[in-house]
């Protein structure tokens, strides 16, 4: 009975020893590998985290820069728009001045023409009146006097 | 221009003959008489210019007119030549140029006098003398009446115009008034 118990204990002890003896190395190795793989995974995760953070910072920087670029483009566009506006206004003013000048010139010209027409009209009316009077009152004697004057003029030309 | 060149050639040819035999004035008068008829009678003009009538037939017509107008044979032959060379349409130009050549040869000037009213013989004589003294040549007066002159006279001698008409004076007055 005691022996039986002792034998069992002994058996158990031998089993433990054998397990320890043969199982120690693979188990330790397995555990080490497992430990290293976990460590590597942790390191990789850390690196990935760092890279991710780096990327995040980069993108954040880019976004900030993009905002700046957009702002720059906006400012440039505003300036160009201002310049274009000024140019158009300048051109319009010049054109307006030109049209005004031309209109003034045309008006002056028109006025001159009208004055000339009035003078011509008046001259024509005056002469027509004189012609009518002459036709009515010119006698053969007057005609003879005119011919005499003409003869005198011809003689003076010699 | 071409018309005048052709006409001048014929006028000169006739003038040369006229100067040789001393009858250029006679030929001029005859040419004037025939041209006057030629310009007055449309039918005659049409017949003489129409190639549908034979040359002989047209020359026979000229012969007949020549007899009636008592034209010299040289003038008739000259007109025959114009028909023969188909130059009858230049006759008015030939006559005008011949007149100029004959006047030049005789040392006289032709004056186209336009008057507003008829002139008395005395006044015409005075005018003729005045113009003769002016151009230094004998003048032949061709007087026309044109009432539109209102008063006074206009004399054209060659390219010169001596204007003494009331119409022109009124025109000048109108220009002066319009400018002033």
């Amino acid at each position: 009975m005691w022996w039986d118990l002792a034998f069992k204990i002994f058996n158990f002890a031998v089993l433990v020893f054998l397990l320890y003896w043969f199982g120690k190395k693979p188990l330790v190795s397995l555990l080490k590998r497992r430990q290293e793989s976990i460590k590597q995974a942790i390191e990789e995760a850390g690196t990935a985290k760092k890279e991710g953070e780096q990327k995040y910072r980069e993108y954040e920087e880019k976004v900030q820069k993009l905002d700046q670029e957009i702002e720059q483009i906006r400012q440039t566009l505003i300036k160009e728009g201002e310049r274009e506006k000024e140019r158009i206004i300048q051109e319009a003013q010049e054109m307006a001045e030109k049209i005004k000048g031309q209109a003034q010139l045309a008006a002056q010209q028109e006025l001159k023409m009208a004055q000339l027409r009035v003078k011509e009209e008046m001259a024509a009316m005056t002469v027509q009146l004189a012609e009518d009077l002459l036709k009515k009152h010119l006698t053969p004697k007057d005609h003879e006097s005119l011919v005499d004057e003409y003869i005198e003029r011809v003689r003076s030309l010699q | 221009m071409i018309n005048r060149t052709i006409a001048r050639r014929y006028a000169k040819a006739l003038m040369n003959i006229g100067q040789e035999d001393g009858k250029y004035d006679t030929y001029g008068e005859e040419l004037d008489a025939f041209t006057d008829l030629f310009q007055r009678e449309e039918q005659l003009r049409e017949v003489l210019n129409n190639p549908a009538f034979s040359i002989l037939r047209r020359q026979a017509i000229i012969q007949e007119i020549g007899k009636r107008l008592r034209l010299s044979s040289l003038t008739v032959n000259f007109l025959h030549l114009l028909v023969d060379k188909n130059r009858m349409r230049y006759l008015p130009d030939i006559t005008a140029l011949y007149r100029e050549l004959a006047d030049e040869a005789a040392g006289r000037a032709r004056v186209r006098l336009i008057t507003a009213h008829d002139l008395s013989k005395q006044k015409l004589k005075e005018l003729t003398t005045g113009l003769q003294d002016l151009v230094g040549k004998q003048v032949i007066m061709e007087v026309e009446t044109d009432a539109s002159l209102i008063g006074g006279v206009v004399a054209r001698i060659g390219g010169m115009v001596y204007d003494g008409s009331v119409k022109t004076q009124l025109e000048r007055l109108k220009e002066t008034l319009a400018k002033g």
Side-chain angles (χ1 to χ4, degrees):
Chain A
M1 212 45 182
W2 183 81
W3 288 104
D4 197 27
L5 186 65
F7 185 70
K8 279 182 181 176
I9 290 168
F10 178 73
N11 269 349
F12 183 72
V14 169
L15 180 69
V16 169
F17 177 74
L18 285 171
L19 279 172
Y20 177 74
W21 189 256
F22 292 105
K24 182 190 166 187
K25 268 189 182 173
L27 189 68
V28 167
S29 167
L30 182 77
L31 286 171
K32 264 192 177 173
R33 278 206 305 277
R34 181 70 188 144
Q35 189 188 9
E36 272 174 18
S37 106
I38 289 166
K39 196 178 166 188
Q40 201 178 346
I42 289 166
E43 277 173 5
E44 278 174 4
T47 314
K49 190 191 167 194
K50 274 181 187 170
E51 278 176 4
E53 281 173 352
Q54 181 69 24
K55 287 269 178 205
Y56 173 75
R57 276 196 298 278
E58 274 175 25
Y59 282 116
E60 205 172 38
E61 213 169 299
K62 270 188 187 173
V63 166
Q64 274 181 355
K65 275 187 182 170
L66 204 65
D67 283 347
Q68 279 176 359
E69 269 177 41
I70 288 167
E71 185 57 26
Q72 264 180 1
I73 291 166
R74 207 170 70 89
Q75 289 302 326
T76 312
L77 285 174
I78 288 168
K79 277 179 189 167
E80 272 180 18
E82 285 292 325
R83 275 203 297 273
E84 187 66 12
K85 187 176 136 190
E86 277 169 20
R87 192 183 61 78
I88 290 166
I89 290 168
Q90 178 78 18
E91 272 182 15
Q93 278 173 345
E94 280 171 11
M95 184 69 83
E97 283 298 318
K98 209 171 163 183
I99 290 167
K100 203 171 136 188
Q102 281 173 348
Q104 275 176 347
L105 202 72
Q108 280 170 0
Q109 212 54 19
E110 202 63 34
L111 188 68
K112 267 187 191 172
M113 291 295 286
Q115 283 172 339
L116 201 71
R117 273 200 297 272
V118 168
K119 269 186 186 175
E120 279 174 357
E121 198 76 25
M122 278 173 70
M125 280 166 74
T126 309
V127 168
Q128 186 61 52
L129 194 70
E131 191 179 321
D132 293 344
L133 285 169
L134 281 167
K135 276 181 182 167
K136 215 172 178 180
H137 300 291
L138 205 73
T139 61
K141 207 177 171 188
D142 294 326
H143 178 65
E144 209 159 285
S145 306
L146 284 167
V147 174
D148 285 338
E149 274 176 34
Y150 182 81
I151 292 166
E152 276 310 308
R153 277 220 307 278
V154 165
R155 278 182 187 150
S156 69
L157 288 171
Q158 288 159 26
Chain B
M1 193 65 207
I2 294 168
N3 288 5
R4 268 188 86 81
T5 312
I6 294 168
R8 185 173 291 279
R9 206 183 300 150
Y10 282 89
K12 265 192 171 176
L14 185 63
M15 188 64 203
N16 286 342
I17 299 168
Q19 278 181 313
E20 273 173 27
D21 61 15
K23 291 181 182 170
Y24 61 85
D25 270 337
T26 312
Y27 301 146
E29 282 162 18
E30 290 177 355
L31 212 54
D32 274 344
F34 187 86
T35 308
D36 186 43
L37 188 71
F38 180 78
Q39 285 186 304
R40 264 191 292 121
E41 298 298 325
E42 197 186 339
Q43 269 189 325
L44 175 68
R45 216 162 48 237
E46 277 173 12
V47 169
L48 293 182
N49 281 324
N50 193 347
F53 295 96
S54 72
I55 289 174
L56 283 173
R57 213 166 154 197
R58 283 184 277 162
Q59 286 177 339
I61 293 167
I62 289 171
Q63 192 75 42
E64 189 56 38
I65 295 168
K67 267 186 204 167
R68 292 190 191 184
L69 292 176
R70 296 182 181 173
L71 302 181
S72 63
S73 59
L74 192 117
T75 307
V76 172
N77 286 342
F78 178 74
L79 294 168
H80 281 180
L81 179 75
L82 293 183
V83 170
D84 194 30
K85 299 285 180 191
N86 196 25
R87 299 290 194 225
M88 210 58 198
R89 63 182 181 281
Y90 301 122
L91 183 63
D93 285 336
I94 293 169
T95 306
L97 286 163
Y98 185 87
R99 207 180 290 144
E100 281 177 21
L101 292 171
D103 288 345
E104 205 180 302
R108 65 186 173 225
R110 208 164 282 266
V111 178
R112 193 167 159 235
L113 187 81
I114 307 161
T115 171
H117 301 276
D118 290 333
L119 293 168
S120 66
K121 278 188 180 172
Q122 177 59 31
K123 285 289 159 229
L124 189 60
K125 200 178 165 190
E126 281 177 38
L127 257 172
T128 308
T129 314
L131 292 168
Q132 255 170 201
D133 293 343
L134 178 67
V135 294
K137 285 179 183 176
Q138 181 205 343
V139 298
I140 297 168
M141 302 291 265
E142 290 175 349
V143 186
E144 275 176 50
T145 308
D146 183 357
S148 75
L149 294 184
I150 304 163
V153 293
V154 179
R156 290 175 196 273
I157 311 169
M160 296 295 289
V161 179
Y162 301 93
D163 197 329
S165 68
V166 172
K167 186 185 175 185
T168 305
Q169 284 177 44
L170 285 171
E171 283 296 326
R172 282 185 198 139
L173 176 70
K174 192 160 94 178
E175 279 172 25
T176 312
L177 286 173
K179 275 181 195 167

